[in-house]
């Protein structure tokens, strides 16, 4: 069970949130020029690391806003919670 | 009964011949290269006379050799089945199965043991149907009781939409030769009397589809049976041996680096479920896979009460009763990515709400144990059983929440893919390239429950 620090509301129970997958995936700048393989990579392929993962969450049953977490996928430790558009925070390896 | 040369051959001095254990060696296992005795009522009686002191280890634990024809990464059900069929069907016996932990200790030992084939798409019905056919004779094939019990599987409908979805899948399956029946609520009650079919339920039962030849099997026995069969044919199963990297030269696979040294091999087959992305990253590949925790739990043991497997999409739960009497209950995967083999208690809470909704009789049942596995989910909820862009590298992954049922079929077609360096007709559609070509095999409706 995660205790998730929403950057707008503070720490709340996991029940109030919904997971939104990998963060910092940039929309292709020239979609017309992308090959099928590049599209597949953008749409489907995941980093899915065993370690620190930068990911999107939405505070669905709270403020309703999207934000990012830096969370470890083995210990589930949350290193940072930050607003959409902010740079990736520094985290321990 | 102990065979003297068996102990010598495998260096097992601790199994000194026992009193009465001399004389004729036990009958050899069919097609075996090693002296593994065949299990039967007679071997049971013979060993009983000896107070069961004479049973042999079921597989060897050899040190890895410097080179093999094929290295399989991951000694779960799929990996061991692959090794078994490589040896049996294709005569490739110079094979190692390397395993980071212990044999069958991953998802093979952590699932809810359900076997069914009522998927929607043709390609899925092909491979799951193939697996179901192999399940039916697997105990005889392996001379190892996998306790396959085709006790039927009910897939419940609670809304008009569920009814339409079930009707669609019903027709699709029947066209492809998978037998399904439709039951109305009264027939559901007759088939499984403890289901609550009251129209006053929060999600009343409107009907169900029944696959009579689906059921459950003993999860550990599948891994052990395939391990024994593969080992008897000369396959080395190397446990506590973690792969730390691949040796790739000029786009060709040359071998693997492991915690027990480098092992050369021109063909490497990766069957590591939740860790597939980690292994792919070692080879410089990215996969369309997410690793999620999926939990299950068992109740205290009860007298026989649940005669079938029951699953529901809308009231999300699936349940069966094990031969020990425990209810085996599963539900949703946790939504976030994790490699921790544990999930959040809120998922279990929702699962228990669903269980009590369907079966008010279980409302005071106590739960004994819970556990989690890491499932590897593809965006279309179908597996990847294919050659990778690196020559000599093969992946069998993405089974997500429903890999257990597919073990025999998956191993069979994957062995064919490795031996011939080309897919079997049944897994030709399950490529990695389908994500760039757009030929997805969408099973999100059919695969979402009963894992």
């Amino acid at each position: 069970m995660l205790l998730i620090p929403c950057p707008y509301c503070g720490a709340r129970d996991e029940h109030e949130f919904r997971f939104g997958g990998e963060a910092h995936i940039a929309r292709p700048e020239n979609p017309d020029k992308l090959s099928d393989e590049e599209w597949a990579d953008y749409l489907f392929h995941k980093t899915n690391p065993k370690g620190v993962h930068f990911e999107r969450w939405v505070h669905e049953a709270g403020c309703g806003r999207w934000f990012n977490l830096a969370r470890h996928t083995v210990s589930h430790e949350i290193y940072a919670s930050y607003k959409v558009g902010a740079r990736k925070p520094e985290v321990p390896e | 009964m102990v065979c003297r040369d068996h102990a010598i051959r495998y260096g097992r001095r601790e199994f000194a011949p026992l009193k009465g254990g001399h004389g004729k060696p036990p009958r050899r296992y069919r097609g075996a290269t090693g002296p593994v005795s065949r299990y039967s009522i007679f071997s049971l009686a013979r060993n009983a006379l000896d107070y069961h002191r004479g049973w042999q280890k079921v597989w060897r634990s050899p040190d890895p050799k410097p080179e093999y024809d094929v290295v399989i990464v991951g000694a779960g059900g799929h990996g061991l089945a692959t090794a078994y069929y490589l040896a049996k069907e294709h005569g490739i016996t110079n094979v190692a199965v390397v395993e980071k932990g212990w044999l069958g200790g991953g998802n093979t030992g952590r699932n809810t043991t359900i076997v069914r084939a009522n998927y929607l798409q043709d390609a899925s019905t092909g491979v799951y149907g193939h697996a179901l056919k192999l399940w039916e004779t697997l105990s005889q094939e392996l001379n190892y009781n996998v306790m396959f019990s085709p006790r039927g599987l009910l897939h419940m409908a609670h809304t008009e939409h569920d009814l339409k979805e079930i009707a669609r899948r019903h027709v699709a399956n029947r066209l492809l030769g998978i037998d399904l029946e439709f039951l109305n609520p009264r027939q559901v009650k007759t088939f499984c009397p403890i289901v609550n079919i009251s129209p006053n339920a929060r999600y009343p039962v409107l009907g169900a589809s029944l696959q009579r030849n689906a059921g459950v099997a003993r999860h550990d026995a599948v891994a052990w049976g395939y391990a024994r069969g593969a080992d008897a044919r000369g396959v080395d199963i190397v446990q506590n041996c973690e792969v730390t990297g691949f040796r790739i030269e000029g786009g060709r696979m040359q071998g693997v680096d492991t915690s027990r040294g480098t092992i050369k091999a021109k063909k490497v087959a990766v069957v590591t479920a939740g860790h597939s992305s980690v292994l792919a990253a070692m080879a410089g590949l990215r996969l369309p896979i997410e690793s999620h925790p999926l939990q299950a739990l068992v109740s205290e043991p009860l007298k026989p009460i649940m005669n079938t497997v029951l699953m529901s999409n809308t009231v999300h739960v699936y349940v069966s009763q094990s031969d020990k009497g425990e209810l085996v209950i599963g539900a949703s995967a946790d939504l976030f990515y994790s490699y921790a083999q544990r999930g959040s208690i809120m998922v279990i809470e929702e699962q228990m709400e669903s269980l009590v909704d369907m079966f008010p009789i279980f409302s005071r049942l106590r739960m004994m144990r819970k556990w989690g596995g890491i499932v590897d989910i593809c965006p279309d909820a179908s597996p990847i059983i294919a050659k990778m862009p690196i020559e000599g590298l093969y992946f069998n992954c993405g089974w997500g929440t429903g890999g257990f049922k597919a073990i025999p079929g998956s191993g069979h077609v994957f062995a064919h893919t490795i031996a011939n360096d080309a897919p079997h007709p049944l897994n030709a559609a399950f490529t990695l390239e389908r994500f760039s070509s757009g030929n997805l095999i969408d099973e999100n409706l059919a695969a979402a429950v009963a894992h």
Side-chain angles (χ1 to χ4, degrees):
Chain A
M1 197 81 183
L2 306 178
L3 185 65
I4 298 175
C6 169
Y8 303 98
C9 311
R12 300 287 182 88
D13 189 288
E14 186 191 335
H15 254 120
E16 299 183 11
F17 298 86
R18 199 166 178 87
F19 179 69
E22 192 172 340
H24 303 290
I25 298 177
R27 200 174 273 267
E29 287 194 7
N30 292 309
D32 300 344
K33 299 212 172 84
L34 247 50
S35 67
D36 289 350
E37 287 69 29
E38 286 164 329
W39 269 119
D41 196 58
Y42 167 67
L43 287 171
F44 298 124
H45 293 180
K46 303 287 188 319
T47 312
N48 195 24
K50 187 177 186 177
V52 179
H53 187 234
F54 298 92
E55 58 196 23
R56 305 165 74 225
W57 287 80
V58 60
H59 194 180
E60 203 173 35
C63 63
R65 281 194 271 195
W66 286 91
F67 61 96
N68 294 339
L69 281 189
R71 187 182 58 90
H72 200 283
T73 56
V74 180
S75 67
H76 295 176
E77 186 176 348
I78 294 167
Y79 297 111
S81 164
Y82 55 103
K83 294 178 184 176
V84 172
R87 280 174 172 277
K88 270 189 194 179
E90 292 289 322
V91 292
E93 273 302 302
Chain B
M1 182 155 186
V2 166
C3 166
R4 207 185 278 271
D5 59 9
H6 187 218
I8 293 163
R9 183 187 159 110
Y10 297 142
R12 279 203 221 106
R13 300 284 154 79
E14 70 271 26
F15 288 116
L18 294 165
K19 180 175 55 143
H22 315 281
K24 228 167 61 172
R27 225 176 102 196
R28 292 194 175 199
Y29 182 46
R30 179 164 45 98
T33 55
V36 174
S37 61
R38 198 173 158 76
Y39 295 151
S40 67
I41 185 73
F42 303 107
S43 74
L44 188 64
R46 210 161 47 225
N47 279 285
L49 291 176
D50 217 9
Y51 300 101
H52 296 292
R53 287 175 302 181
W55 293 108
Q56 294 295 312
K57 285 190 181 175
V58 176
W59 53 81
R60 301 160 297 135
S61 294
D63 287 324
K65 290 191 285 187
E67 183 164 5
Y68 290 92
D69 293 341
V70 180
V71 167
I72 295 170
V73 185
H78 292 260
L80 292 164
T82 305
Y84 174 81
Y85 291 114
L86 266 180
K88 181 178 174 251
E89 308 262 312
H90 306 282
I92 301 172
T93 56
N94 187 21
V95 176
V97 185
V98 297
E99 165 60 45
K100 177 177 73 171
W102 68 94
L103 188 157
N107 294 351
T108 304
R110 293 166 182 271
N111 58 79
T112 48
T113 78
I114 296 168
V115 176
R116 65 186 173 98
N118 54 348
Y119 283 70
L120 177 66
Q121 309 289 351
D122 295 14
S124 319
T125 313
V127 74
Y128 290 107
H130 179 49
L132 187 57
K133 281 208 185 71
L134 293 172
W135 273 111
E136 283 165 359
T137 53
L138 195 59
S139 292
Q140 291 81 359
E141 159 85 22
L142 296 176
N143 177 232
Y144 201 96
N145 189 1
V146 299
M147 295 165 71
F148 176 57
S149 162
R151 56 185 66 176
L153 177 137
L154 281 173
H155 187 154
M156 313 304 286
H158 303 271
T159 62
E160 284 299 321
H161 178 83
D162 283 353
L163 281 175
K164 284 179 182 155
E165 199 278 316
I166 279 182
R168 176 193 183 202
R169 194 129 51 89
H170 184 81
V171 174
N173 279 199
R174 289 189 70 116
L175 283 172
L176 293 162
I178 305 273
D179 245 347
L180 287 189
E181 290 165 44
F182 183 80
L183 305 187
N184 64 32
R186 199 172 291 272
Q187 290 167 315
V188 169
K189 189 81 178 165
T190 311
F191 189 75
C192 183
I194 58 172
V195 182
N196 177 22
I197 59 160
S198 159
N200 299 324
R202 175 70 183 83
Y203 296 102
V205 173
L206 300 182
S209 85
L210 169 65
Q211 186 181 10
R212 282 191 192 271
N213 59 351
V216 291
R218 170 93 169 100
H219 51 354
D220 292 326
V222 180
W224 297 338
Y226 274 123
R228 174 169 172 266
D231 179 272
R233 288 171 170 80
V235 172
D236 284 355
I237 299 165
V238 187
Q239 301 179 70
N240 297 311
C241 180
E242 181 174 2
V243 169
T244 53
F246 294 111
R247 294 284 172 108
I248 301 164
E249 282 165 32
R252 284 167 178 268
M253 189 51 71
Q254 303 294 336
V256 291
D257 291 324
T258 76
S259 55
R260 295 176 70 174
T262 299
I263 304 172
K264 282 200 227 166
K266 294 265 187 270
K267 290 183 175 183
V268 175
V270 179
V271 205
T272 53
H275 278 73
S276 297
S277 299
V278 177
L279 272 287
M282 288 179 195
L285 299 170
R286 274 161 63 82
L287 297 177
I289 281 182
E290 305 173 353
S291 297
H292 294 266
L294 176 59
Q295 306 178 82
L297 67 166
V298 291
S299 73
E300 58 192 328
L302 303 172
K303 287 182 179 174
I305 187 162
M306 180 81 197
N307 59 331
T308 185
V309 184
L310 186 137
M311 61 192 261
S312 164
N313 260 349
T314 303
V315 185
H316 198 165
V317 72
Y318 41 92
V319 58
S320 64
Q321 188 171 19
S322 77
D323 292 349
K324 288 188 286 182
E326 300 162 338
L327 292 185
V328 185
I329 308 154
S332 320
D334 282 64
L335 292 173
F336 56 79
Y337 300 174
S338 171
Y339 287 81
Q341 294 186 324
R342 62 188 155 78
S344 293
I345 197 77
M346 68 185 223
V347 175
I348 286 180
E349 201 179 334
E350 285 159 15
Q351 174 175 338
M352 290 298 100
E353 283 169 11
S354 306
L355 182 75
V356 174
D357 203 42
M358 297 283 291
F359 303 99
I361 192 177
F362 294 148
S363 65
R364 282 175 294 164
L365 195 61
R366 281 167 296 194
M367 297 299 144
M368 302 281 281
R369 296 187 304 280
K370 76 168 181 84
W371 64 90
I374 317 166
V375 295
D376 42 335
I377 301 179
C378 274
D380 58 357
S382 286
I384 296 164
I385 320 166
K387 295 163 65 173
M388 290 289 115
I390 294 158
E391 203 177 318
L393 180 64
Y394 308 83
F395 264 72
N396 184 348
C397 61
W399 289 98
T401 54
F404 176 75
K405 65 178 79 69
I407 285 174
S410 154
H412 189 259
V413 298
F414 195 43
H416 183 281
T417 307
I418 299 163
N420 299 299
D421 198 36
H424 187 280
L426 288 176
N427 68 316
F430 295 98
T431 60
L432 178 61
E433 289 73 28
R434 74 175 186 267
F435 295 94
S436 31
S437 70
N439 296 316
L440 302 186
I441 306 162
D442 188 0
E443 286 294 354
N444 277 300
L445 270 177
V449 286
H451 311 301

